[in-house]
Structure formats: C-alpha cells, structure tokens
Amino acid sequence: GAGVSQSPSNKVTEKGKDVELRCDPISGHTALYWYRQSLGQGLEFLIYFQGNSAPDKSGLPSDRFSAERTGGSVSTLTIQRTQQEDSAVYLCASSLDGRVGDTQYFGPGTRLTVL
Amino acid sequence: AQKVTQAQTEISVVEKEDVTLDCVYETRDTTYYLFWYKQPPSGELVFLIRRNSFDEQNEISGRYSWNFQKSTSSFNFTITASQVVDSAVYFCALSHTSGTYKYIFGTGTRLKVLA
C-alpha cells in the first residue's frame, strides 16, 4: 500500500452536521495538501502542511474549515456546520518535501454530499 | 501573473484517432515545472509527467507524447491511437519558484474516446 489513502470514500451528511475527512500520505512524504473539486470544476487549493505545521491556510474557504496533521503523517480535514455548498470531492495529496517542482501524488478523494 | 490555460473544455474522438490536448502557461519565473495528470471516472488524479523549464526535449512514453515549447509557453499532450480507457479529464499544472509548493492547475480537458 504505497499510495495516498483517504477515508471515507463517500460521506453523506445533513446540513449543519460536522464531518471529518482523513488522509494518510505516502510514507516519508513531509508535505501534504488538501484540495477541493466541485462538480465539473478544477482543483481548488485548501491547505498545505509541512510536517505538522500548516504554513499556508489561505485556501480554506471559511472558519468552518480546519485541518490538522499529527506525527507528520495522517491529516484530518474538519468541516463544521456543513452547508450544501460544501458538497464536493475533497482530494488529498502528498509530496516528498514540498519544494518547487516536487511531484504531488493524489489520493482517491472523499466525495462529500450535504443534504 | 501565473496561470495555466486549457482552452479545450471537452474533446470527443473515435477510437484509434490521435488527439492533442493543449496547455498554455504564464509565469515570470525562469525556473518552473510543468505536470500532466489524468483523472479517470474513478476520481483519483494519476501523475503522468513532470517537465522542468530547462529541458525542452520532447518526451514519448508508449502512446503518450509531450511537446514542450518555451517560445509559445505551451506544454501539449498527444495521445496516439486513442483507446476507450483514455477517456478521462486531463489536467495541466505549473509549479514555479515564487509559488514554492503550490501548483497552479488548469481547468482540465475532458476527453471522450468513443468505441
């Protein structure tokens, strides 16, 4: 299992509920990224981790979104009080060290549906 | 401005036809990297190629080939003798010095290969 894994693969929730999305990066990769892809759209950058710290949270769309990474490995993206516009595929990627040109490897994504 | 443009929103071809997906980029940096990713219906982005700005040699991998031309700021992707399994959304991305870890993605080209 050398690739990026994400769970759950699908999540259906009701408006107003909180959700947690998990990402397990490739072993040894210090950089981790979260993206959001709305139906038929491109990729929207959300947040970047280098180790356990997040030097760039600029893409988080609102304060309902937060993310953490522990032990320099697994990351959790939390969306509080979900809204229907949060429905999207959330993609996680990891790369070796986050330098320019570092190749990002993506997980299969979590499809979030907010009813 | 740093930007990636994939002007072709959707392309349909018949199996065994050749098809070229266009990617035009903008950057002020002299050091940068370009990428192509494939997103099949399953949703996971699959890394195809990385090219740095100092290497303008074209690359061929099986039925895939890439044409990098700095003079026109383009990094086009050609699939020869297309197959139904090539049906996917293809994304071009740019990683540039002043952006460090950040990728700038194009909006993607949906390729449909008809049997």
Side-chain angles (χ1 to χ4, degrees):
Chain A
V4 177
S5 60
Q6 292 185 247
S7 62
S9 54
N10 278 285
K11 177 71 176 179
V12 180
T13 190
E14 293 180 350
K15 178 181 172 181
K17 301 279 190 182
D18 297 352
V19 296
E20 283 190 355
L21 312 179
R22 176 189 167 109
C23 171
D24 204 337
I26 292 173
S27 177
H29 281 190
T30 63
L32 185 146
Y33 317 79
W34 283 97
Y35 294 85
R36 180 169 71 173
Q37 186 177 30
S38 301
L39 187 63
Q41 300 299 308
L43 278 77
E44 175 188 7
F45 168 79
L46 298 178
I47 188 169
Y48 157 67
F49 284 94
Q50 180 56 255
N52 290 338
S53 64
D56 189 348
K57 305 179 183 180
S58 62
L60 295 178
S62 77
D63 58 9
R64 296 186 297 104
F65 287 72
S66 63
E68 65 175 13
R69 189 179 184 195
T70 54
S73 181
V74 172
S75 176
T76 303
L77 177 68
T78 302
I79 309 173
Q80 296 178 310
R81 306 181 302 282
T82 52
Q83 303 294 312
Q84 287 182 334
E85 60 262 28
D86 299 334
S87 296
V89 176
Y90 290 82
L91 292 162
C92 175
S94 71
S95 69
L96 192 59
D97 54 23
R99 285 186 288 182
V100 177
D102 205 16
T103 300
Q104 295 182 19
Y105 296 92
F106 285 79
T110 293
R111 182 175 299 279
L112 175 65
T113 303
V114 182
L115 302 176
Chain B
Q2 326 285 342
K3 188 179 176 182
V4 174
T5 302
Q6 294 181 257
Q8 303 152 308
T9 306
E10 186 168 310
I11 302 175
S12 291
V13 298
V14 176
E15 207 170 18
K16 296 184 185 177
E17 285 186 359
D18 299 347
V19 58
T20 295
L21 310 182
D22 298 333
C23 173
V24 174
Y25 62 92
E26 294 177 34
T27 179
R28 291 184 297 270
D29 296 327
T30 55
T31 301
Y32 53 89
Y33 296 79
L34 296 162
F35 302 81
W36 276 95
Y37 286 84
K38 173 182 180 180
Q39 187 177 40
S42 60
E44 182 170 349
L45 268 80
V46 177
F47 166 71
L48 296 178
I49 189 171
R50 180 185 93 150
R51 173 67 65 196
N52 76 54
S53 53
F54 299 107
D55 182 1
E56 284 194 75
Q57 279 196 339
N58 292 332
E59 178 147 347
I60 298 174
S61 176
R63 295 184 298 105
Y64 294 171
S65 62
W66 290 269
N67 182 3
F68 177 31
Q69 291 198 337
K70 290 175 76 170
S71 60
T72 55
S73 297
S74 65
F75 186 43
N76 296 339
F77 173 30
T78 297
I79 302 174
T80 303
S82 60
Q83 299 177 2
V84 173
V85 293
D86 296 327
S87 297
V89 180
Y90 291 86
F91 289 95
C92 181
L94 166 71
S95 171
H96 57 102
T97 308
S98 54
T100 59
Y101 56 88
K102 274 191 179 179
Y103 279 22
I104 297 172
F105 281 91
T107 51
T109 297
R110 181 178 299 277
L111 174 65
K112 292 185 178 180
V113 181
L114 308 171

